[in-house]
Amino acid sequence: MKSARLYRLVDEGIYARRQPGESRDRVVRLVARLVDHFRPREVYEPGSGPAPEPLDFVLATGRDAGETADGLRALWPKLHPGSVLLLTDSYRNAKAKLLWQSIKARPEVTVTVDLFRVQLVFFR
């Protein structure tokens, strides 16, 4: 992701003031803005049925880090340059933190953005 595009995403999507009609919940609001920004064909949540190929936008909660890791491991080959992975709850416990660290270390990961409650992963 080029720095100008990332800056625009941060400025217009992440730090923009809440608009009338938007959710008061910050995570829900951010997910909606990201989906609007990236316009994926489909938003996929691991465990919600068969995964489409390719995966454009994956929304994964880190509530059960082991389950999330297993789900992402199966999905990893379906991610492509331009895919966005959104994680939540990466600081819930030690397993979730390890999962987040392992994702950041993957060679196909281009940029990560850590917003504490939400983590964004972009791919080459």
Side-chain angles (χ1 to χ4, degrees), residues 28-47:
V28 171
R29 186 169 59 238
L30 179 59
V31 170
R33 286 178 179 179
L34 291 170
V35 168
D36 185 56
H37 179 83
F38 289 108
R39 304 243 183 246
R41 284 175 283 200
E42 186 172 340
V43 176
Y44 181 74
E45 293 184 51

mmCIF file of all heavy atoms in Angstrom, residues 28-47:
data_model
loop_
_atom_site.group_PDB
_atom_site.id
_atom_site.type_symbol
_atom_site.label_atom_id
_atom_site.label_comp_id
_atom_site.label_asym_id
_atom_site.label_seq_id
_atom_site.Cartn_x
_atom_site.Cartn_y
_atom_site.Cartn_z
ATOM 1 N N VAL A 28 -17.372 -1.292 15.059
ATOM 2 C CA VAL A 28 -18.404 -1.455 14.031
ATOM 3 C C VAL A 28 -18.296 -0.338 12.998
ATOM 4 O O VAL A 28 -18.366 -0.578 11.790
ATOM 5 C CB VAL A 28 -19.813 -1.489 14.678
ATOM 6 C CG1 VAL A 28 -20.908 -1.428 13.620
ATOM 7 C CG2 VAL A 28 -19.973 -2.719 15.552
ATOM 8 N N ARG A 29 -18.107 0.882 13.467
ATOM 9 C CA ARG A 29 -17.981 2.040 12.574
ATOM 10 C C ARG A 29 -16.747 1.896 11.683
ATOM 11 O O ARG A 29 -16.809 2.141 10.478
ATOM 12 C CB ARG A 29 -17.911 3.318 13.402
ATOM 13 C CG ARG A 29 -17.925 4.574 12.582
ATOM 14 C CD ARG A 29 -18.116 5.832 13.422
ATOM 15 N NE ARG A 29 -17.084 6.013 14.431
ATOM 16 C CZ ARG A 29 -17.313 6.122 15.745
ATOM 17 N NH1 ARG A 29 -18.534 6.062 16.225
ATOM 18 N NH2 ARG A 29 -16.323 6.318 16.584
ATOM 19 N N LEU A 30 -15.627 1.473 12.256
ATOM 20 C CA LEU A 30 -14.401 1.318 11.476
ATOM 21 C C LEU A 30 -14.550 0.223 10.421
ATOM 22 O O LEU A 30 -14.140 0.415 9.274
ATOM 23 C CB LEU A 30 -13.212 1.018 12.387
ATOM 24 C CG LEU A 30 -11.876 0.808 11.682
ATOM 25 C CD1 LEU A 30 -11.486 2.040 10.868
ATOM 26 C CD2 LEU A 30 -10.796 0.469 12.687
ATOM 27 N N VAL A 31 -15.138 -0.902 10.792
ATOM 28 C CA VAL A 31 -15.340 -1.976 9.821
ATOM 29 C C VAL A 31 -16.196 -1.470 8.664
ATOM 30 O O VAL A 31 -15.861 -1.690 7.495
ATOM 31 C CB VAL A 31 -15.974 -3.222 10.482
ATOM 32 C CG1 VAL A 31 -16.402 -4.231 9.435
ATOM 33 C CG2 VAL A 31 -14.994 -3.860 11.463
ATOM 34 N N ALA A 32 -17.269 -0.766 8.964
ATOM 35 C CA ALA A 32 -18.138 -0.233 7.904
ATOM 36 C C ALA A 32 -17.370 0.732 7.003
ATOM 37 O O ALA A 32 -17.507 0.689 5.769
ATOM 38 C CB ALA A 32 -19.352 0.457 8.521
ATOM 39 N N ARG A 33 -16.560 1.574 7.583
ATOM 40 C CA ARG A 33 -15.785 2.531 6.784
ATOM 41 C C ARG A 33 -14.757 1.822 5.909
ATOM 42 O O ARG A 33 -14.529 2.202 4.762
ATOM 43 C CB ARG A 33 -15.074 3.530 7.694
ATOM 44 C CG ARG A 33 -15.996 4.544 8.298
ATOM 45 C CD ARG A 33 -15.251 5.462 9.221
ATOM 46 N NE ARG A 33 -16.117 6.473 9.799
ATOM 47 C CZ ARG A 33 -15.703 7.382 10.653
ATOM 48 N NH1 ARG A 33 -14.433 7.406 11.036
ATOM 49 N NH2 ARG A 33 -16.541 8.268 11.132
ATOM 50 N N LEU A 34 -14.112 0.794 6.459
ATOM 51 C CA LEU A 34 -13.114 0.061 5.687
ATOM 52 C C LEU A 34 -13.755 -0.683 4.517
ATOM 53 O O LEU A 34 -13.215 -0.698 3.416
ATOM 54 C CB LEU A 34 -12.342 -0.900 6.586
ATOM 55 C CG LEU A 34 -11.414 -0.231 7.585
ATOM 56 C CD1 LEU A 34 -10.893 -1.245 8.593
ATOM 57 C CD2 LEU A 34 -10.258 0.456 6.875
ATOM 58 N N VAL A 35 -14.885 -1.289 4.772
ATOM 59 C CA VAL A 35 -15.591 -1.977 3.693
ATOM 60 C C VAL A 35 -15.983 -0.969 2.617
ATOM 61 O O VAL A 35 -15.813 -1.224 1.422
ATOM 62 C CB VAL A 35 -16.821 -2.739 4.242
ATOM 63 C CG1 VAL A 35 -17.725 -3.213 3.114
ATOM 64 C CG2 VAL A 35 -16.371 -3.919 5.107
ATOM 65 N N ASP A 36 -16.455 0.194 3.024
ATOM 66 C CA ASP A 36 -16.810 1.245 2.068
ATOM 67 C C ASP A 36 -15.577 1.728 1.303
ATOM 68 O O ASP A 36 -15.639 1.982 0.108
ATOM 69 C CB ASP A 36 -17.479 2.409 2.800
ATOM 70 C CG ASP A 36 -17.981 3.472 1.852
ATOM 71 O OD1 ASP A 36 -18.785 3.132 0.951
ATOM 72 O OD2 ASP A 36 -17.577 4.643 1.996
ATOM 73 N N HIS A 37 -14.451 1.841 1.988
ATOM 74 C CA HIS A 37 -13.222 2.329 1.370
ATOM 75 C C HIS A 37 -12.665 1.332 0.344
ATOM 76 O O HIS A 37 -12.293 1.713 -0.763
ATOM 77 C CB HIS A 37 -12.176 2.612 2.445
ATOM 78 C CG HIS A 37 -10.869 3.088 1.916
ATOM 79 N ND1 HIS A 37 -10.628 4.404 1.597
ATOM 80 C CD2 HIS A 37 -9.714 2.420 1.631
ATOM 81 C CE1 HIS A 37 -9.394 4.525 1.146
ATOM 82 N NE2 HIS A 37 -8.825 3.334 1.157
ATOM 83 N N PHE A 38 -12.594 0.053 0.721
ATOM 84 C CA PHE A 38 -11.959 -0.952 -0.138
ATOM 85 C C PHE A 38 -12.915 -1.589 -1.131
ATOM 86 O O PHE A 38 -12.477 -2.171 -2.115
ATOM 87 C CB PHE A 38 -11.286 -2.032 0.717
ATOM 88 C CG PHE A 38 -10.073 -1.530 1.421
ATOM 89 C CD1 PHE A 38 -10.088 -1.323 2.789
ATOM 90 C CD2 PHE A 38 -8.914 -1.225 0.730
ATOM 91 C CE1 PHE A 38 -8.977 -0.841 3.454
ATOM 92 C CE2 PHE A 38 -7.787 -0.751 1.376
ATOM 93 C CZ PHE A 38 -7.827 -0.551 2.740
ATOM 94 N N ARG A 39 -14.205 -1.509 -0.876
ATOM 95 C CA ARG A 39 -15.213 -2.067 -1.765
ATOM 96 C C ARG A 39 -14.916 -3.519 -2.171
ATOM 97 O O ARG A 39 -14.855 -3.841 -3.364
ATOM 98 C CB ARG A 39 -15.369 -1.217 -3.011
ATOM 99 C CG ARG A 39 -15.694 0.226 -2.732
ATOM 100 C CD ARG A 39 -17.032 0.570 -3.292
ATOM 101 N NE ARG A 39 -17.320 1.978 -3.086
ATOM 102 C CZ ARG A 39 -18.291 2.385 -2.294
ATOM 103 N NH1 ARG A 39 -19.022 1.526 -1.655
ATOM 104 N NH2 ARG A 39 -18.520 3.667 -2.126
ATOM 105 N N PRO A 40 -14.730 -4.407 -1.186
ATOM 106 C CA PRO A 40 -14.462 -5.807 -1.540
ATOM 107 C C PRO A 40 -15.700 -6.463 -2.140
ATOM 108 O O PRO A 40 -16.835 -6.038 -1.887
ATOM 109 C CB PRO A 40 -14.118 -6.444 -0.186
ATOM 110 C CG PRO A 40 -14.878 -5.632 0.799
ATOM 111 C CD PRO A 40 -14.830 -4.226 0.254
ATOM 112 N N ARG A 41 -15.474 -7.499 -2.933
ATOM 113 C CA ARG A 41 -16.606 -8.251 -3.480
ATOM 114 C C ARG A 41 -17.394 -8.906 -2.361
ATOM 115 O O ARG A 41 -18.601 -9.040 -2.441
ATOM 116 C CB ARG A 41 -16.116 -9.325 -4.455
ATOM 117 C CG ARG A 41 -15.690 -8.753 -5.797
ATOM 118 C CD ARG A 41 -15.126 -9.827 -6.641
ATOM 119 N NE ARG A 41 -13.772 -10.051 -6.100
ATOM 120 C CZ ARG A 41 -12.802 -10.628 -6.739
ATOM 121 N NH1 ARG A 41 -13.007 -11.118 -7.920
ATOM 122 N NH2 ARG A 41 -11.609 -10.758 -6.209
ATOM 123 N N GLU A 42 -16.662 -9.332 -1.330
ATOM 124 C CA GLU A 42 -17.308 -10.008 -0.213
ATOM 125 C C GLU A 42 -16.469 -9.818 1.042
ATOM 126 O O GLU A 42 -15.247 -9.803 0.978
ATOM 127 C CB GLU A 42 -17.437 -11.496 -0.521
ATOM 128 C CG GLU A 42 -18.219 -12.271 0.489
ATOM 129 C CD GLU A 42 -18.494 -13.702 0.048
ATOM 130 O OE1 GLU A 42 -18.417 -13.998 -1.155
ATOM 131 O OE2 GLU A 42 -18.782 -14.525 0.929
ATOM 132 N N VAL A 43 -17.132 -9.689 2.172
ATOM 133 C CA VAL A 43 -16.464 -9.666 3.476
ATOM 134 C C VAL A 43 -16.644 -11.052 4.051
ATOM 135 O O VAL A 43 -17.778 -11.526 4.213
ATOM 136 C CB VAL A 43 -17.079 -8.610 4.418
ATOM 137 C CG1 VAL A 43 -16.430 -8.679 5.789
ATOM 138 C CG2 VAL A 43 -16.923 -7.216 3.828
ATOM 139 N N TYR A 44 -15.544 -11.717 4.324
ATOM 140 C CA TYR A 44 -15.602 -13.094 4.818
ATOM 141 C C TYR A 44 -15.186 -13.155 6.275
ATOM 142 O O TYR A 44 -14.179 -12.575 6.665
ATOM 143 C CB TYR A 44 -14.692 -14.002 3.982
ATOM 144 C CG TYR A 44 -14.738 -15.433 4.451
ATOM 145 C CD1 TYR A 44 -15.839 -16.227 4.179
ATOM 146 C CD2 TYR A 44 -13.701 -15.957 5.208
ATOM 147 C CE1 TYR A 44 -15.906 -17.526 4.631
ATOM 148 C CE2 TYR A 44 -13.757 -17.258 5.662
ATOM 149 C CZ TYR A 44 -14.861 -18.040 5.373
ATOM 150 O OH TYR A 44 -14.924 -19.329 5.841
ATOM 151 N N GLU A 45 -15.974 -13.867 7.067
ATOM 152 C CA GLU A 45 -15.629 -14.123 8.462
ATOM 153 C C GLU A 45 -15.322 -15.603 8.591
ATOM 154 O O GLU A 45 -16.168 -16.442 8.243
ATOM 155 C CB GLU A 45 -16.782 -13.736 9.381
ATOM 156 C CG GLU A 45 -17.047 -12.243 9.394
ATOM 157 C CD GLU A 45 -18.129 -11.856 10.386
ATOM 158 O OE1 GLU A 45 -18.024 -12.266 11.554
ATOM 159 O OE2 GLU A 45 -19.055 -11.158 9.968
ATOM 160 N N PRO A 46 -14.100 -15.959 9.064
ATOM 161 C CA PRO A 46 -13.747 -17.372 9.204
ATOM 162 C C PRO A 46 -14.812 -18.122 10.001
ATOM 163 O O PRO A 46 -15.327 -17.634 10.998
ATOM 164 C CB PRO A 46 -12.422 -17.331 9.963
ATOM 165 C CG PRO A 46 -11.837 -16.014 9.579
ATOM 166 C CD PRO A 46 -13.016 -15.082 9.469
ATOM 167 N N GLY A 47 -15.148 -19.306 9.490
ATOM 168 C CA GLY A 47 -16.147 -20.135 10.148
ATOM 169 C C GLY A 47 -17.567 -19.865 9.691
ATOM 170 O O GLY A 47 -18.506 -20.497 10.161
#
